[in-house]
Amino acid sequence: MNGGGNVPLTVGIDVGGTNIRASVVDGSGEVLDTVTAPTPQSARALEDALARAVRELCARHPIGAVGLAVAGFVDEDRATVRFAPHLPWEDAPVAQRLTDRLGLPVILEHDANAALWAEYRFGAAAGGRNVVLVAIGTGIGAALLISGQLYRGSYGVAPELGHIQVVPQGRACACGKRGCWERYCSGTALVDTALEMLATDPQRSKVLAREALRDPGSLTGRRVAGAAQDGDPVAQDVMTDFARWLGLGLAAVSDIFDPDLIVVAGGVSTSAPLFLDDAREHYAASITGARHRHLARIRTAQLGEAAGMIGAAELARAALEVPHTAVPAHR
Ligand SMILES: [Zn+2]
């Protein structure tokens, strides 16, 4: 008996660059069972590992379908991985290959889309209609829900909000451009901003300065947030700067989409008490015509790292319920 009643159980898999995590999820978003394995480096070995994980779960539960949350470009029919920077797949028809091996329907989804779907069905985005999710970690992952449907663009590419240029000729980004939003508003950015501020006035910070002098590479976003929590003045300035960029960026995004809800997810969101109120003020100050419109609520995510997996499982279940339509009409 599962919490979702007669709704079939499905497997959601978070296919990360380091580990794969596969879970059985019921119709109410509850995770019932999980297996994990390291991510192999070849496509063949990765598909072997995924099939093994699903078979292990199938031996313990009746499974109806499988959903994969992938950090990369997934084509519009959600069957092929076009490109994933940390995975050995390029133009790979992953859904069909796994279906052939497992005898189960398999769908793919961009990981941020999957996370937003999970938050919408079971978490912080419940009740939202037009929702922006920004997952702030090493960079920014983003997803949009428009009129209650995931927005997948024309060619399956999820919104790359993190690479909107906010500073012409600004910090260099791994994408090849300069001044991208995520270079000022991410865990990585917390470190870069801290190092810039420490270089200007190293005496102001006791804790961070000592760490940064010893080994600049050892500083992490989590450490900067921790130092801010402990009262380090430079780290607090770093968080203030981060809040400003978050508010500005979300205001720009809202000027395009006019959402009713914004969900801040990802590793940095666990430090939200250090920046979210500030970010809301910058948001209200930056958005066009703030006094004459409703402002989106800005909330933190509720499902944590499991969101992608739960969302992928839920999307796989939805595909099962519409057996003759591989892709629900989301256009
Ligand atoms: Zn970029």
Side-chain angles (χ1 to χ4, degrees), residues 47 83 94 110 123 130 166 191 194 230 241 245 276:
E47 288 155 29
F83 169 69
V94 175
H110 183 275
N130 297 305
V166 295
V191 174
D230 294 341
D241 186 72
W245 284 114
L276 203 59

Side-chain angles (χ1 to χ4, degrees), residues 41-184:
Q41 295 309 302
S42 80
R44 175 80 200 184
L46 174 54
E47 288 155 29
D48 286 345
L50 292 168
R52 214 163 29 238
V54 174
R55 286 198 189 102
E56 187 180 333
L57 293 168
C58 283
R60 299 201 283 265
H61 310 269
I63 301 301
V66 178
L68 271 60
V70 179
F73 287 176
V74 174
D75 69 351
E76 60 270 33
D77 63 5
R78 298 189 296 160
T80 300
V81 177
R82 290 279 171 232
F83 169 69
H86 307 293
L87 297 171
W89 282 327
E90 193 165 331
D91 291 326
V94 175
Q96 190 59 54
R97 285 185 197 160
L98 287 175
T99 292
D100 290 347
R101 297 173 67 154
L102 294 166
L104 288 171
V106 176
I107 60 118
L108 313 180
E109 188 57 78
H110 183 275
D111 62 347
N113 283 350
L116 173 51
W117 192 249
E119 294 287 350
Y120 175 59
R121 297 284 287 118
F122 309 115
R129 180 168 166 77
N130 297 305
V131 183
V132 178
L133 175 132
V134 287
I136 308 177
T138 313
I140 294 179
L144 300 174
L145 188 86
I146 296 183
S147 300
Q149 304 285 350
L150 283 177
Y151 176 75
R152 297 193 177 89
S154 300
Y155 305 106
V157 177
E160 292 290 347
L161 301 184
H163 297 285
I164 292 173
Q165 193 185 47
V166 295
V167 181
Q169 300 309 315
R171 292 175 183 167
C173 184
C175 76
K177 299 191 293 185
R178 282 188 168 275
C180 295
W181 185 29
E182 71 175 35
R183 295 298 293 110
Y184 299 85

Side-chain angles (χ1 to χ4, degrees), residues 183-260:
R183 295 298 293 110
Y184 299 85
C185 188
S186 62
T188 315
L190 291 177
V191 174
D192 291 346
T193 306
L195 292 174
E196 280 180 17
M197 287 184 179
L198 289 170
T200 313
D201 187 3
Q203 302 306 320
R204 275 189 70 223
S205 165
K206 300 284 178 278
V207 186
L208 286 184
R210 217 180 304 130
E211 272 186 37
L213 277 174
R214 202 170 50 230
D215 178 9
S218 72
L219 211 53
T220 62
R222 190 179 298 273
R223 184 68 196 98
V224 174
Q229 180 80 52
D230 294 341
D232 184 281
V234 172
Q236 287 176 338
D237 284 356
V238 172
M239 298 313 297
T240 302
D241 186 72
F242 173 90
R244 183 171 66 94
W245 284 114
L246 180 58
L248 283 173
L250 292 178
V253 170
S254 295
D255 277 338
I256 301 172
F257 297 108
D258 187 24
D260 50 85

